[in-house]
Amino acid sequence: MMMNKETMKTTCINLLGARGVLPADIAELVFELQKKYVADLTMKTCDDAVDRVLSKREVHYAILTGVELDMLAEKKGLSEPLQSLIESDAPLYGIDEILALSICNVYGSIGLTNFGYVDKIKPGIVGKLDRMGKETAHCHTFLDDIVGAIAAAAASSVAHNNAL
Amino acid sequence: MMMNKETMKTTCINLLGARGVLPADIAELVFELQKKYVADLTMKTCDDAVDRVLSKREVHYAILTGVELDMLAEKKGLSEPLQSLIESDAPLYGIDEILALSICNVYGSIGLTNFGYVDKIKPGIVGKLDRMGKETAHCHTFLDDIVGAIAAAAASSVAHNNAL
Amino acid sequence: MMMNKETMKTTCINLLGARGVLPADIAELVFELQKKYVADLTMKTCDDAVDRVLSKREVHYAILTGVELDMLAEKKGLSEPLQSLIESDAPLYGIDEILALSICNVYGSIGLTNFGYVDKIKPGIVGKLDRMGKETAHCHTFLDDIVGAIAAAAASSVAHNNAL
Amino acid sequence: MMMNKETMKTTCINLLGARGVLPADIAELVFELQKKYVADLTMKTCDDAVDRVLSKREVHYAILTGVELDMLAEKKGLSEPLQSLIESDAPLYGIDEILALSICNVYGSIGLTNFGYVDKIKPGIVGKLDRMGKETAHCHTFLDDIVGAIAAAAASSVAHNNAL
């Protein structure tokens, strides 16, 4: 079942929605990250930047792969020791950060800093996903990093568009 | 089920073996990659370098994650469109290269060149895995890249040890 | 002296030209890399892909930085031990590959494989730069990797455009 | 002038010292980053981790290259537009983050998060370097990222050693 890029985008947005993440939640992170650098930043600008990131093929593949691993872990569908590593969000696992890095680099290396900051501070939707992952049966090992990375890439895109 | 590093290493070597890859197969790639740079290169040196790479935690996690995705694809155990992307080794998918990159960088960026070369030329075990993936019901979308990356990292390790 | 993106692009193309590299030389590499995957590939398609890569800000910065270091090494303008490392194209130095990686990832991780292949095989202009770097007073430690990376990224762009 | 690895390490530590950064300053960052994860963390553990990072060849090359570019920018020794980009620490430049990334990955991808956090919050020596870079004739475009990356990599090393 091969999909064209537009159908793939819709599939990914629906998948994020089913996991509790709306594009508007990510746009709020972008606003927080960029408001001190862009004088007259609007939510529309942030929404558009998130939409641009969500249109990129490499972002689709990272979302599909990471969220699948989270869902398989919730269903105890992975082999050991991978099941335990992902289910427990083991701090040294690192494959979640590697997938996220492939997203946050789509608008150049400046996405990196914002990603690390969001991952550490866990504002807005990222904090909510992190708490749900820790306190409920949900597994968000990949999802919180993916969301942080989309926000970081979108913030880079805003910064690039705002430059000369 | 958390494992210590030594048990994890054994688990990964066994998993590679179950998928048809022995450390000695990878050491042969390393020999081919390095023989023209190191005058008196021995197979022992290559075996040891592969063993060092297979001792690294970030390598364990990439092996466990990539091989799991290959095996799930063989069992039709993934959601669409991810199932089709991995099963068909879709050329733009790229998450296999991203995982592999995390392996081939464990001894610095010079692993990159060897990885790209192996991935394109497909010598020895990498070619065998690639053909099996294409002609049989096996899925080696991640495995061939992982094996190439372990060889590339081990070749870097040989080069580093051979320097001043 | 801040430049807008269009002026920056012209500056980078002129700088590559002054170092002996024309966009058409890079397009030839792209043609070689992609001809077996794209049935009716034309040079126009390859020229356009190189032009797209040369329009990207992160590519401009990598070109400006890498070529500057090459030129400073030619003039013995760097401190030791950096001068010797760059002048001799020391095999473990690796910062040239790191800069190149930032270019070859602008159209996703599939650029990686092509970059490694070009770096090893050294076809066309890359081989010419490599020989000049070794046999004359020219220093091309960064330039040959940069050119290979631009070709690899442009090949990825062709592959992406040729997909659904 | 080729140096062995031990002499190279001394050269890099002296170079950082000449630019105002002591290993102990970096160890303090490591302590801040890791104290909430490691119950009985000592400064000795942090000092040792910084020393391990400063022993790695890929770290030496990133330090030598980045600090050289900072020093050349201070002396107006770079061509335009690179001189202005580095001198002004242009926010989209990004080559400083790319060099830093090669450092913070030496102990796996978990270094990434700490790097981004340090780069945004600018604690201790990183904040001091940043202010000096902005308020005086010093150029620290590369140095502050390099120092943050060494701290992030050392924090990863502490985390790895503290695991099973």
Side-chain angles (χ1 to χ4, degrees):
Chain A
M1 194 180 79
M2 284 309 181
M3 285 180 179
N4 68 29
K5 211 170 151 182
E6 207 47 49
T7 313
M8 189 75 90
K9 180 180 171 181
T10 308
T11 301
C12 288
I13 291 175
N14 291 343
L15 182 58
L16 289 175
R19 303 293 295 170
V21 179
L22 299 176
D25 298 325
I26 309 180
E28 276 179 33
L29 295 178
V30 179
F31 192 87
E32 288 308 308
L33 287 168
Q34 286 302 113
K35 68 183 177 190
K36 77 172 189 186
Y37 304 110
V38 181
D40 51 355
L41 186 63
T42 64
M43 275 307 296
K44 173 83 170 69
T45 299
C46 298
D47 288 333
D48 290 350
V50 170
D51 191 70
R52 278 195 299 279
V53 174
L54 289 173
S55 301
K56 295 228 164 209
R57 212 186 289 268
E58 47 269 59
V59 175
H60 302 159
Y61 297 152
I63 293 171
L64 292 173
T65 307
V67 172
E68 182 82 9
L69 288 164
D70 276 353
M71 294 191 304
L72 285 162
E74 283 176 6
K75 292 188 287 192
K76 317 281 179 197
L78 299 169
S79 315
E80 288 294 354
L82 187 65
Q83 172 69 36
S84 298
L85 286 164
I86 296 182
E87 202 180 342
S88 69
D89 203 355
L92 297 178
Y93 176 59
I95 304 294
D96 41 348
E97 274 95 352
I98 286 170
L99 274 201
L101 183 58
S102 76
I103 293 175
C104 71
N105 275 344
V106 292
Y107 288 103
S109 58
I110 63 160
L112 194 60
T113 297
N114 281 328
F115 170 68
Y117 178 71
V118 166
D119 196 44
K120 200 88 179 176
I121 297 298
K122 302 197 187 302
I125 183 74
V126 173
K128 192 176 149 193
L129 291 171
D130 185 62
R131 283 189 302 275
M132 281 178 68
K134 286 189 174 122
E135 294 162 15
T136 73
H138 286 88
C139 175
H140 291 152
T141 296
F142 282 89
L143 185 60
D144 58 359
D145 286 315
I146 286 171
V147 167
I150 296 171
S156 298
S157 179
V158 169
H160 276 273
N161 283 356
N162 209 51
L164 279 176
Chain B
M1 194 180 79
M2 284 309 181
M3 286 180 179
N4 68 28
K5 211 169 152 183
E6 206 48 49
T7 313
M8 189 75 90
K9 180 180 173 181
T10 308
T11 302
C12 288
I13 290 174
N14 291 344
L15 182 59
L16 289 175
R19 304 292 296 171
V21 179
L22 298 176
D25 298 325
I26 309 180
E28 277 180 32
L29 295 179
V30 180
F31 191 88
E32 288 309 307
L33 287 169
Q34 286 303 112
K35 70 184 175 188
K36 77 172 189 184
Y37 305 110
V38 181
D40 50 357
L41 186 63
T42 64
M43 275 307 296
K44 173 83 172 69
T45 299
C46 298
D47 288 333
D48 291 349
V50 170
D51 191 71
R52 280 195 298 278
V53 174
L54 289 173
S55 301
K56 295 226 163 210
R57 211 185 287 267
E58 47 269 58
V59 176
H60 302 159
Y61 296 151
I63 293 171
L64 293 174
T65 308
V67 172
E68 182 82 9
L69 287 165
D70 276 354
M71 293 190 305
L72 285 163
E74 283 177 6
K75 292 187 288 190
K76 316 284 178 195
L78 300 170
S79 315
E80 289 293 358
L82 186 65
Q83 173 68 34
S84 298
L85 285 164
I86 296 182
E87 201 179 346
S88 69
D89 203 353
L92 298 177
Y93 176 58
I95 304 294
D96 41 348
E97 275 95 353
I98 286 169
L99 274 201
L101 183 58
S102 76
I103 293 174
C104 71
N105 276 345
V106 292
Y107 289 104
S109 58
I110 64 161
L112 193 62
T113 297
N114 281 328
F115 170 68
Y117 178 72
V118 167
D119 196 44
K120 198 89 179 177
I121 298 299
K122 303 197 184 303
I125 182 74
V126 173
K128 194 177 150 193
L129 292 170
D130 185 61
R131 283 189 302 277
M132 280 177 69
K134 285 189 175 126
E135 295 162 14
T136 72
H138 287 87
C139 175
H140 292 152
T141 296
F142 282 89
L143 185 61
D144 58 359
D145 287 315
I146 285 170
V147 168
I150 296 171
S156 298
S157 179
V158 170
H160 275 272
N161 283 356
N162 209 51
L164 278 177
Chain C
M1 193 179 80
M2 284 308 179
M3 285 181 180
N4 68 28
K5 211 169 151 184
E6 206 47 48
T7 314
M8 189 75 90
K9 180 180 173 182
T10 308
T11 302
C12 287
I13 291 174
N14 290 344
L15 181 59
L16 290 175
R19 303 293 295 172
V21 179
L22 299 176
D25 298 324
I26 309 180
E28 276 179 33
L29 295 178
V30 180
F31 191 88
E32 288 308 307
L33 287 169
Q34 286 303 111
K35 69 182 174 189
K36 77 172 189 184
Y37 305 109
V38 181
D40 50 354
L41 186 64
T42 64
M43 276 305 298
K44 171 81 171 69
T45 299
C46 298
D47 287 334
D48 291 349
V50 170
D51 191 70
R52 279 194 299 278
V53 174
L54 289 174
S55 301
K56 296 225 163 211
R57 212 186 289 265
E58 47 269 58
V59 175
H60 302 158
Y61 297 151
I63 293 171
L64 292 173
T65 308
V67 172
E68 182 82 9
L69 288 165
D70 276 354
M71 294 190 303
L72 285 162
E74 284 177 6
K75 292 187 288 191
K76 316 283 179 196
L78 300 169
S79 315
E80 288 294 356
L82 187 64
Q83 173 69 33
S84 298
L85 286 164
I86 296 183
E87 200 178 346
S88 69
D89 203 354
L92 297 176
Y93 176 58
I95 304 293
D96 41 349
E97 277 93 352
I98 286 169
L99 273 201
L101 184 56
S102 76
I103 293 175
C104 71
N105 276 344
V106 292
Y107 288 103
S109 58
I110 64 161
L112 193 62
T113 298
N114 281 327
F115 170 67
Y117 178 72
V118 166
D119 196 44
K120 199 87 179 180
I121 298 299
K122 303 197 186 302
I125 183 74
V126 173
K128 192 176 151 194
L129 291 171
D130 185 61
R131 282 188 303 277
M132 280 176 70
K134 286 188 174 124
E135 295 162 14
T136 72
H138 286 88
C139 175
H140 291 152
T141 295
F142 282 89
L143 185 61
D144 58 0
D145 287 314
I146 286 171
V147 167
I150 296 171
S156 298
S157 180
V158 169
H160 276 272
N161 283 356
N162 209 52
L164 279 176
Chain D
M1 193 179 82
M2 284 310 179
M3 284 181 181
N4 67 30
K5 211 169 150 183
E6 207 47 48
T7 314
M8 189 75 89
K9 179 180 172 181
T10 308
T11 302
C12 288
I13 291 174
N14 290 344
L15 182 59
L16 290 175
R19 303 292 295 171
V21 179
L22 298 176
D25 298 325
I26 309 181
E28 276 179 33
L29 295 178
V30 180
F31 191 87
E32 288 308 308
L33 287 169
Q34 286 303 113
K35 68 182 176 190
K36 76 172 189 183
Y37 304 110
V38 180
D40 51 355
L41 186 64
T42 63
M43 275 308 296
K44 172 83 171 67
T45 299
C46 298
D47 287 334
D48 290 350
V50 170
D51 191 71
R52 280 194 299 279
V53 173
L54 288 174
S55 301
K56 296 228 161 208
R57 211 186 289 267
E58 47 269 59
V59 175
H60 302 158
Y61 296 152
I63 293 171
L64 292 174
T65 308
V67 172
E68 181 83 8
L69 287 165
D70 276 353
M71 294 190 303
L72 285 162
E74 284 176 6
K75 292 187 289 191
K76 316 283 178 197
L78 300 169
S79 314
E80 287 295 354
L82 187 65
Q83 172 69 35
S84 298
L85 285 164
I86 296 183
E87 200 179 346
S88 68
D89 202 353
L92 298 176
Y93 176 59
I95 304 294
D96 41 349
E97 276 95 352
I98 286 170
L99 273 202
L101 183 58
S102 76
I103 293 175
C104 69
N105 275 344
V106 293
Y107 288 103
S109 57
I110 63 160
L112 194 62
T113 297
N114 281 327
F115 170 67
Y117 177 72
V118 167
D119 196 43
K120 199 89 179 176
I121 298 299
K122 304 196 185 303
I125 182 75
V126 173
K128 191 176 151 193
L129 291 171
D130 185 61
R131 282 189 302 277
M132 280 177 69
K134 287 191 173 124
E135 294 162 16
T136 72
H138 286 88
C139 175
H140 291 151
T141 296
F142 282 88
L143 185 60
D144 57 0
D145 287 314
I146 286 171
V147 167
I150 296 171
S156 298
S157 180
V158 169
H160 275 273
N161 283 357
N162 210 50
L164 279 176

